[in-house]
């Protein structure tokens, strides 16, 4: 899973897709932070999936708050980030 993430980060850099690159870098950072927290060299795919699910949940909550605060452009940004993260989650 982490290899795929690193590969996709490189592809996003080459394509100059800033939004996708930012989301993927943030995911990688969250994964590395969790590994440090658990004092492990690397995480299992199940642990990585759990982290990604948490990211989706937090972005959904943020999007909901943006809609309530009448900031649809920010809610749309959060929703587009959710779509990118969900590409890595199993169906």
């Amino acid at each position: 899973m982490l290899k795929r993430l690193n590969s996709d980060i490189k592809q996003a850099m080459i394509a100059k897709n800033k939004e996708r690159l930012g989301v993927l870098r943030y995911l990688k950072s969250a994964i590395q932070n969790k590994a440090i927290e658990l004092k492990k060299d690397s995480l299992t795919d199940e642990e990585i999936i759990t982290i990604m699910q948490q990211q989706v949940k937090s972005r959904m909550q943020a999007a909901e708050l943006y809609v309530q605060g009448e900031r649809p452009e920010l809610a749309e940004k959060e929703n587009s980030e959710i779509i990118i993260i969900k590409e890595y989650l199993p169906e």
Side-chain angles (χ1 to χ4, degrees):
M1 177 84 62
L2 199 54
K3 287 181 183 180
R4 178 179 169 208
L5 188 62
N6 286 327
S7 172
D8 288 351
I9 287 173
K10 289 177 188 175
Q11 289 175 355
M13 280 188 218
I14 292 169
K16 297 183 180 176
N17 186 341
K18 291 181 182 181
E19 180 183 5
R20 184 173 182 83
L21 180 61
V23 172
L24 297 178
R25 281 182 172 164
Y26 187 83
L27 276 178
K28 185 176 177 184
S29 174
I31 292 166
Q32 289 174 336
N33 287 339
K34 190 67 169 182
I36 291 169
E37 180 183 320
L38 298 174
K39 298 181 179 167
K40 291 184 173 181
D41 289 332
S42 62
L43 299 177
T44 65
D45 282 350
E46 291 80 24
E47 291 169 322
I48 292 172
I49 288 170
T50 301
I51 292 168
M52 290 183 181
Q53 289 170 336
Q54 291 169 346
Q55 294 297 319
V56 167
K57 183 178 177 183
S58 70
R59 282 176 168 73
M60 286 178 147
Q61 290 172 343
E64 189 176 307
L65 291 173
Y66 286 138
V67 168
Q68 290 174 2
E70 298 181 14
R71 297 293 305 265
E73 69 282 356
L74 294 175
E76 187 178 314
K77 181 178 182 273
E78 293 292 336
N79 288 328
S80 66
E81 291 178 1
I82 289 169
I83 292 168
I84 293 169
I85 296 170
K86 282 188 174 182
E87 292 175 14
Y88 295 89
L89 294 174
E91 292 297 319

Short mmCIF file of all heavy atoms in Angstrom, two decimals, residues 1-2 5-6 9 20-34 43 48-56 59 81-82 84-89:
data_model
loop_
_atom_site.label_atom_id
_atom_site.label_comp_id
_atom_site.label_asym_id
_atom_site.label_seq_id
_atom_site.Cartn_x
_atom_site.Cartn_y
_atom_site.Cartn_z
N MET A 1 0.83 -1.19 0.00
CA MET A 1 0.00 0.00 0.00
C MET A 1 0.88 1.26 0.00
O MET A 1 0.62 2.19 -0.74
CB MET A 1 -0.91 -0.03 1.23
CG MET A 1 -1.78 1.17 1.41
SD MET A 1 -3.32 1.24 0.52
CE MET A 1 -4.19 -0.14 1.14
N LEU A 2 1.92 1.24 0.83
CA LEU A 2 2.81 2.39 0.92
C LEU A 2 3.59 2.58 -0.38
O LEU A 2 3.83 3.71 -0.80
CB LEU A 2 3.75 2.22 2.11
CG LEU A 2 4.43 3.47 2.64
CD1 LEU A 2 3.39 4.54 2.97
CD2 LEU A 2 5.24 3.16 3.87
N LEU A 5 1.36 4.32 -2.76
CA LEU A 5 1.23 5.72 -2.37
C LEU A 5 2.45 6.51 -2.85
O LEU A 5 2.31 7.58 -3.43
CB LEU A 5 1.06 5.82 -0.86
CG LEU A 5 0.73 7.19 -0.29
CD1 LEU A 5 -0.60 7.70 -0.82
CD2 LEU A 5 0.69 7.13 1.22
N ASN A 6 3.65 5.96 -2.62
CA ASN A 6 4.87 6.65 -3.06
C ASN A 6 4.91 6.79 -4.57
O ASN A 6 5.32 7.83 -5.09
CB ASN A 6 6.10 5.89 -2.56
CG ASN A 6 6.34 6.09 -1.08
OD1 ASN A 6 6.04 7.14 -0.52
ND2 ASN A 6 6.86 5.07 -0.42
N ILE A 9 2.57 9.51 -5.61
CA ILE A 9 3.12 10.83 -5.28
C ILE A 9 4.05 11.28 -6.41
O ILE A 9 3.99 12.42 -6.86
CB ILE A 9 3.85 10.80 -3.91
CG1 ILE A 9 2.83 10.72 -2.78
CG2 ILE A 9 4.73 12.04 -3.74
CD1 ILE A 9 3.44 10.51 -1.40
N ARG A 20 -3.86 16.73 -5.79
CA ARG A 20 -3.63 15.31 -5.53
C ARG A 20 -2.32 15.11 -4.76
O ARG A 20 -2.26 14.34 -3.82
CB ARG A 20 -3.62 14.54 -6.84
CG ARG A 20 -3.47 13.06 -6.67
CD ARG A 20 -3.64 12.33 -8.00
NE ARG A 20 -3.56 10.91 -7.84
CZ ARG A 20 -4.56 10.13 -7.47
NH1 ARG A 20 -5.72 10.66 -7.23
NH2 ARG A 20 -4.40 8.84 -7.34
N LEU A 21 -1.29 15.83 -5.16
CA LEU A 21 0.00 15.72 -4.51
C LEU A 21 -0.10 16.10 -3.03
O LEU A 21 0.44 15.42 -2.16
CB LEU A 21 1.03 16.60 -5.22
CG LEU A 21 2.44 16.60 -4.66
CD1 LEU A 21 3.04 15.20 -4.72
CD2 LEU A 21 3.31 17.58 -5.43
N GLY A 22 -0.82 17.18 -2.75
CA GLY A 22 -0.98 17.62 -1.36
C GLY A 22 -1.69 16.58 -0.51
O GLY A 22 -1.28 16.31 0.63
N VAL A 23 -2.75 15.99 -1.05
CA VAL A 23 -3.52 14.98 -0.31
C VAL A 23 -2.64 13.75 -0.05
O VAL A 23 -2.61 13.21 1.06
CB VAL A 23 -4.80 14.59 -1.06
CG1 VAL A 23 -5.49 13.41 -0.40
CG2 VAL A 23 -5.74 15.77 -1.15
N LEU A 24 -1.93 13.30 -1.08
CA LEU A 24 -1.10 12.10 -0.93
C LEU A 24 0.05 12.33 0.04
O LEU A 24 0.39 11.45 0.83
CB LEU A 24 -0.56 11.66 -2.30
CG LEU A 24 -1.63 11.23 -3.31
CD1 LEU A 24 -0.99 10.85 -4.63
CD2 LEU A 24 -2.48 10.10 -2.77
N ARG A 25 0.64 13.50 0.00
CA ARG A 25 1.72 13.81 0.95
C ARG A 25 1.18 13.85 2.39
O ARG A 25 1.83 13.39 3.32
CB ARG A 25 2.37 15.15 0.60
CG ARG A 25 3.34 15.06 -0.53
CD ARG A 25 3.98 16.39 -0.80
NE ARG A 25 5.05 16.27 -1.77
CZ ARG A 25 5.57 17.30 -2.40
NH1 ARG A 25 5.13 18.54 -2.17
NH2 ARG A 25 6.55 17.12 -3.26
N TYR A 26 -0.01 14.41 2.54
CA TYR A 26 -0.63 14.46 3.86
C TYR A 26 -0.90 13.05 4.39
O TYR A 26 -0.65 12.75 5.56
CB TYR A 26 -1.92 15.28 3.82
CG TYR A 26 -2.51 15.51 5.18
CD1 TYR A 26 -2.05 16.54 6.00
CD2 TYR A 26 -3.51 14.68 5.67
CE1 TYR A 26 -2.58 16.74 7.25
CE2 TYR A 26 -4.05 14.88 6.93
CZ TYR A 26 -3.58 15.90 7.72
OH TYR A 26 -4.11 16.09 8.97
N LEU A 27 -1.38 12.17 3.51
CA LEU A 27 -1.62 10.78 3.90
C LEU A 27 -0.32 10.10 4.31
O LEU A 27 -0.28 9.40 5.32
CB LEU A 27 -2.23 10.00 2.73
CG LEU A 27 -3.72 10.08 2.54
CD1 LEU A 27 -4.12 9.28 1.30
CD2 LEU A 27 -4.47 9.57 3.74
N LYS A 28 0.70 10.29 3.52
CA LYS A 28 1.99 9.67 3.84
C LYS A 28 2.52 10.17 5.18
O LYS A 28 3.02 9.40 5.99
CB LYS A 28 3.00 9.96 2.73
CG LYS A 28 4.32 9.26 2.92
CD LYS A 28 5.26 9.48 1.76
CE LYS A 28 6.58 8.80 2.05
NZ LYS A 28 7.56 9.07 0.99
N SER A 29 2.35 11.45 5.42
CA SER A 29 2.77 12.03 6.69
C SER A 29 1.98 11.45 7.86
O SER A 29 2.55 11.12 8.90
CB SER A 29 2.58 13.55 6.64
OG SER A 29 2.84 14.13 7.89
N ALA A 30 0.67 11.29 7.69
CA ALA A 30 -0.16 10.71 8.75
C ALA A 30 0.26 9.27 9.04
O ALA A 30 0.31 8.85 10.20
CB ALA A 30 -1.63 10.75 8.35
N ILE A 31 0.60 8.53 7.99
CA ILE A 31 1.05 7.15 8.16
C ILE A 31 2.38 7.11 8.90
O ILE A 31 2.57 6.31 9.83
CB ILE A 31 1.15 6.45 6.78
CG1 ILE A 31 -0.25 6.27 6.20
CG2 ILE A 31 1.88 5.12 6.90
CD1 ILE A 31 -0.27 5.90 4.73
N GLN A 32 3.30 7.97 8.51
CA GLN A 32 4.61 8.01 9.18
C GLN A 32 4.48 8.44 10.64
O GLN A 32 5.16 7.90 11.52
CB GLN A 32 5.56 8.95 8.43
CG GLN A 32 6.00 8.38 7.10
CD GLN A 32 6.83 9.36 6.29
OE1 GLN A 32 6.73 10.58 6.46
NE2 GLN A 32 7.63 8.83 5.38
N ASN A 33 3.60 9.40 10.91
CA ASN A 33 3.40 9.85 12.29
C ASN A 33 2.85 8.72 13.15
O ASN A 33 3.24 8.55 14.31
CB ASN A 33 2.46 11.05 12.33
CG ASN A 33 3.13 12.31 11.84
OD1 ASN A 33 4.36 12.42 11.81
ND2 ASN A 33 2.33 13.27 11.42
N LYS A 34 1.92 7.93 12.60
CA LYS A 34 1.35 6.81 13.34
C LYS A 34 2.41 5.75 13.60
O LYS A 34 2.46 5.15 14.69
CB LYS A 34 0.16 6.22 12.57
CG LYS A 34 -0.62 5.22 13.36
CD LYS A 34 -1.33 5.87 14.52
CE LYS A 34 -2.32 4.94 15.16
NZ LYS A 34 -3.05 5.57 16.26
N LEU A 43 4.01 0.09 8.99
CA LEU A 43 2.68 -0.33 9.40
C LEU A 43 2.14 -1.38 8.43
O LEU A 43 2.54 -1.43 7.27
CB LEU A 43 1.73 0.87 9.41
CG LEU A 43 2.07 2.01 10.36
CD1 LEU A 43 1.08 3.14 10.20
CD2 LEU A 43 2.09 1.54 11.80
N ILE A 48 -2.77 0.96 7.83
CA ILE A 48 -2.80 2.07 6.88
C ILE A 48 -4.23 2.35 6.45
O ILE A 48 -4.64 3.52 6.36
CB ILE A 48 -1.89 1.76 5.67
CG1 ILE A 48 -0.42 1.76 6.12
CG2 ILE A 48 -2.10 2.78 4.56
CD1 ILE A 48 0.56 1.28 5.07
N ILE A 49 -5.00 1.31 6.21
CA ILE A 49 -6.40 1.49 5.82
C ILE A 49 -7.18 2.18 6.93
O ILE A 49 -8.00 3.06 6.67
CB ILE A 49 -7.03 0.12 5.44
CG1 ILE A 49 -6.46 -0.35 4.10
CG2 ILE A 49 -8.55 0.20 5.39
CD1 ILE A 49 -6.81 -1.76 3.73
N THR A 50 -6.90 1.81 8.18
CA THR A 50 -7.57 2.45 9.32
C THR A 50 -7.26 3.95 9.35
O THR A 50 -8.14 4.78 9.58
CB THR A 50 -7.12 1.79 10.64
OG1 THR A 50 -7.46 0.41 10.59
CG2 THR A 50 -7.80 2.44 11.84
N ILE A 51 -6.01 4.30 9.10
CA ILE A 51 -5.61 5.71 9.08
C ILE A 51 -6.35 6.45 7.97
O ILE A 51 -6.86 7.56 8.17
CB ILE A 51 -4.08 5.84 8.90
CG1 ILE A 51 -3.37 5.32 10.15
CG2 ILE A 51 -3.69 7.29 8.62
CD1 ILE A 51 -1.89 5.14 9.98
N MET A 52 -6.44 5.82 6.81
CA MET A 52 -7.13 6.45 5.68
C MET A 52 -8.62 6.62 5.97
O MET A 52 -9.21 7.65 5.62
CB MET A 52 -6.92 5.65 4.41
CG MET A 52 -5.51 5.73 3.91
SD MET A 52 -5.32 4.86 2.36
CE MET A 52 -3.59 5.12 2.04
N GLN A 53 -9.22 5.65 6.64
CA GLN A 53 -10.64 5.77 7.01
C GLN A 53 -10.83 6.92 7.98
O GLN A 53 -11.83 7.65 7.90
CB GLN A 53 -11.13 4.46 7.60
CG GLN A 53 -11.27 3.34 6.59
CD GLN A 53 -11.53 1.98 7.21
OE1 GLN A 53 -11.19 1.74 8.37
NE2 GLN A 53 -12.11 1.09 6.43
N GLN A 54 -9.90 7.10 8.90
CA GLN A 54 -9.98 8.21 9.83
C GLN A 54 -9.87 9.55 9.09
O GLN A 54 -10.57 10.51 9.44
CB GLN A 54 -8.88 8.11 10.89
CG GLN A 54 -9.05 6.96 11.85
CD GLN A 54 -7.81 6.72 12.70
OE1 GLN A 54 -6.73 7.22 12.43
NE2 GLN A 54 -7.98 5.90 13.76
N GLN A 55 -9.01 9.59 8.08
CA GLN A 55 -8.87 10.81 7.30
C GLN A 55 -10.15 11.14 6.54
O GLN A 55 -10.56 12.30 6.48
CB GLN A 55 -7.69 10.67 6.31
CG GLN A 55 -6.34 10.58 6.97
CD GLN A 55 -5.97 11.82 7.74
OE1 GLN A 55 -6.22 12.93 7.29
NE2 GLN A 55 -5.42 11.64 8.92
N VAL A 56 -10.78 10.12 5.98
CA VAL A 56 -12.05 10.33 5.27
C VAL A 56 -13.10 10.86 6.23
O VAL A 56 -13.82 11.82 5.93
CB VAL A 56 -12.53 9.02 4.59
CG1 VAL A 56 -13.97 9.15 4.11
CG2 VAL A 56 -11.62 8.67 3.42
N ARG A 59 -12.48 14.51 7.15
CA ARG A 59 -12.79 15.39 6.03
C ARG A 59 -14.31 15.50 5.81
O ARG A 59 -14.80 16.56 5.43
CB ARG A 59 -12.09 14.92 4.76
CG ARG A 59 -10.62 15.31 4.76
CD ARG A 59 -9.88 14.77 3.56
NE ARG A 59 -8.57 15.35 3.40
CZ ARG A 59 -7.53 15.09 4.16
NH1 ARG A 59 -7.64 14.26 5.17
NH2 ARG A 59 -6.35 15.66 3.95
N GLU A 81 -11.01 15.84 -1.89
CA GLU A 81 -9.94 15.12 -1.17
C GLU A 81 -10.43 13.75 -0.72
O GLU A 81 -9.68 12.77 -0.76
CB GLU A 81 -9.44 15.94 0.02
CG GLU A 81 -8.68 17.18 -0.40
CD GLU A 81 -8.23 18.04 0.77
OE1 GLU A 81 -8.48 17.67 1.94
OE2 GLU A 81 -7.62 19.09 0.52
N ILE A 82 -11.68 13.66 -0.31
CA ILE A 82 -12.26 12.38 0.09
C ILE A 82 -12.23 11.40 -1.08
O ILE A 82 -11.89 10.23 -0.92
CB ILE A 82 -13.71 12.58 0.61
CG1 ILE A 82 -13.68 13.29 1.96
CG2 ILE A 82 -14.44 11.25 0.72
CD1 ILE A 82 -15.04 13.76 2.45
N ILE A 84 -10.14 11.31 -3.54
CA ILE A 84 -8.76 10.86 -3.76
C ILE A 84 -8.38 9.79 -2.74
O ILE A 84 -7.80 8.77 -3.09
CB ILE A 84 -7.78 12.05 -3.69
CG1 ILE A 84 -8.02 13.00 -4.87
CG2 ILE A 84 -6.33 11.56 -3.67
CD1 ILE A 84 -7.31 14.32 -4.78
N ILE A 85 -8.72 10.00 -1.48
CA ILE A 85 -8.37 9.04 -0.43
C ILE A 85 -9.11 7.73 -0.64
O ILE A 85 -8.53 6.64 -0.46
CB ILE A 85 -8.68 9.62 0.97
CG1 ILE A 85 -7.80 10.84 1.23
CG2 ILE A 85 -8.44 8.56 2.05
CD1 ILE A 85 -8.19 11.63 2.47
N LYS A 86 -10.38 7.79 -1.05
CA LYS A 86 -11.17 6.58 -1.23
C LYS A 86 -10.63 5.67 -2.33
O LYS A 86 -10.94 4.48 -2.36
CB LYS A 86 -12.63 6.93 -1.50
CG LYS A 86 -13.38 7.31 -0.24
CD LYS A 86 -14.85 7.47 -0.50
CE LYS A 86 -15.60 7.71 0.81
NZ LYS A 86 -17.04 7.82 0.61
N GLU A 87 -9.80 6.22 -3.22
CA GLU A 87 -9.17 5.39 -4.26
C GLU A 87 -8.29 4.30 -3.65
O GLU A 87 -8.05 3.27 -4.26
CB GLU A 87 -8.33 6.25 -5.19
CG GLU A 87 -9.10 7.18 -6.05
CD GLU A 87 -8.21 8.10 -6.87
OE1 GLU A 87 -6.99 7.84 -6.96
OE2 GLU A 87 -8.73 9.09 -7.43
N TYR A 88 -7.81 4.55 -2.44
CA TYR A 88 -6.90 3.61 -1.77
C TYR A 88 -7.61 2.65 -0.83
O TYR A 88 -6.99 1.73 -0.33
CB TYR A 88 -5.83 4.39 -0.99
CG TYR A 88 -4.94 5.18 -1.91
CD1 TYR A 88 -5.26 6.47 -2.29
CD2 TYR A 88 -3.80 4.60 -2.45
CE1 TYR A 88 -4.46 7.19 -3.15
CE2 TYR A 88 -2.99 5.30 -3.32
CZ TYR A 88 -3.32 6.60 -3.66
OH TYR A 88 -2.54 7.28 -4.55
N LEU A 89 -8.87 2.90 -0.58
CA LEU A 89 -9.62 2.06 0.34
C LEU A 89 -10.28 0.90 -0.42
O LEU A 89 -10.73 1.08 -1.54
CB LEU A 89 -10.70 2.87 1.06
CG LEU A 89 -10.18 3.95 2.02
CD1 LEU A 89 -11.33 4.77 2.55
CD2 LEU A 89 -9.39 3.33 3.15
#
